[in-house]
Amino acid sequence: GDSWRHELFSGLLDAARAESIIKALHTNTGIGIVLPEEHILKMTVFFGANCDTVCSLTSRLGLPVYKLNQLPLVAGSMFWARIEALIPTHMLFSEEYFEKEYGQVDGTFAHAFERMSSISCASLGLEVATSDLERYRADAASKVYAFSHRG
């Protein structure tokens, strides 16, 4: 956990990087979220037991399910965001959707929810960028990740 947290924090909160990201979010209204470079995974490769719920929620946001193949999973659920990019997801949920926490590692509503940030962003036509402020490309997403398993 310490190694993962350190990598996520440094990828997003390094002073120079944070300043560049904030400036980009202010000046480029097409960017919805900014993800830590080394923690961007291809959504469909890391669905786990969440595929059905994520597909259902994606459809409720009006986004075709096939677009999931072009979107990233934000590993660690840490990112910079334009508030507007998260409103569609926020409007879908209520606290009662979340099951009690019993140490589950996959397949709960919370696990599906953490996959929704880039979907929410895409539902508004906003772009996902890396912390280096490059446009996200599905072909560049990591297929191996030290902190999670494929599935």
Side-chain angles (χ1 to χ4, degrees):
D2 287 338
S3 176
W4 192 17
R5 183 181 62 251
H6 175 72
E7 284 188 28
L8 287 165
F9 283 3
S10 65
L12 292 170
L13 299 175
D14 168 75
R17 184 170 281 178
E19 185 176 331
S20 295
I21 292 169
I22 292 168
K23 182 178 178 183
L25 287 169
H26 281 289
T27 60
N28 184 343
T29 58
I31 296 175
I33 60 175
V34 179
L35 313 178
E37 184 78 31
E38 297 80 21
H39 301 274
I40 302 173
L41 309 175
K42 190 170 183 180
M43 176 83 65
T44 53
V45 173
F46 288 86
F47 261 143
N50 307 291
C51 183
D52 291 344
T53 304
V54 171
C55 288
S56 173
L57 295 170
T58 298
S59 293
R60 287 180 59 196
L61 287 180
L63 198 66
V65 172
Y66 75 85
K67 294 256 184 187
L68 291 173
N69 199 40
Q70 302 163 12
L71 294 174
L73 164 62
V74 186
S77 300
M78 293 182 66
F79 51 88
W80 287 89
R82 176 179 309 288
I83 294 297
E84 299 92 319
L86 302 177
I87 290 174
T89 298
H90 173 73
M91 301 304 291
L92 282 179
F93 303 114
S94 178
E95 191 175 311
E96 70 259 7
Y97 293 166
F98 292 86
E99 303 92 343
K100 294 245 185 242
E101 179 60 51
Y102 296 110
Q104 304 97 318
V105 294
D106 200 17
T108 67
F109 189 81
H111 293 105
F113 182 78
E114 69 183 351
R115 287 161 168 76
M116 294 301 297
S117 55
S118 64
I119 298 167
S120 184
C121 179
S123 77
L124 296 175
L126 296 172
E127 290 188 22
V128 175
T130 68
S131 53
D132 289 336
L133 300 174
E134 298 292 326
R135 183 183 206 180
Y136 167 75
R137 291 185 4 252
D139 63 332
S142 178
K143 292 176 181 50
V144 176
Y145 189 58
F147 304 103
S148 181
H149 301 288
R150 292 176 66 152

